[in-house]
Amino acid sequence: QVQLVESGGGSVQAGGSLRLSCVASGSIFTVNAMSWYRQSIGKQRQLVARITSSGSTTYADSVKGRFTISRDNAKNTVFLQMDSLNLEDTAVYYCNAYIYTGTLSELHENGYWGQGTQVTVSS
């Protein structure tokens, strides 16, 4: 069984910073791409940033230059450094990861979600 556990959310004033973390644990063979999504009230869940196992990154236009995604492969952990936060960044942030489980002779890749962490930006 695989679990993703996020931490680091909270309340911050506009212009401030937060750092989110997400740790994958369980019967993991290896972790492929890891991502952060967010969902605000009345809106669909949207991709914020993605990082591949080799370190290539992708960002939503709305966060480019303000957010930085990184990972520690040895610890199956992904981070999201969020700077210059604004009111529109208020949302529940979800960690997503594609994870291989099983053995070399029989690997299975599935997508997993964390439980979400609230980020609230106030003026």
Side-chain angles (χ1 to χ4, degrees), residues 20-95:
L20 305 182
S21 300
C22 171
V23 181
S25 63
S27 303
I28 296 172
F29 184 84
T30 191
V31 181
N32 204 346
M34 303 185 82
S35 305
W36 288 97
Y37 285 74
R38 68 186 181 187
Q39 186 169 19
S40 52
I41 296 174
K43 294 187 178 181
Q44 289 188 329
R45 192 173 297 188
Q46 296 180 324
L47 176 68
V48 175
R50 174 175 289 131
I51 185 166
T52 67
S53 56
S54 60
S56 296
T57 58
T58 304
Y59 294 94
D61 288 343
S62 59
V63 307
K64 281 180 181 176
R66 301 188 298 121
F67 290 11
T68 303
I69 190 170
S70 60
R71 64 189 288 169
D72 182 336
N73 288 333
K75 297 181 179 180
N76 292 332
T77 301
V78 63
F79 306 97
L80 186 67
Q81 177 65 40
M82 305 186 293
D83 298 318
S84 301
L85 285 160
N86 58 53
L87 300 181
E88 289 70 36
D89 295 319
T90 294
V92 178
Y93 284 71
Y94 296 91
C95 175

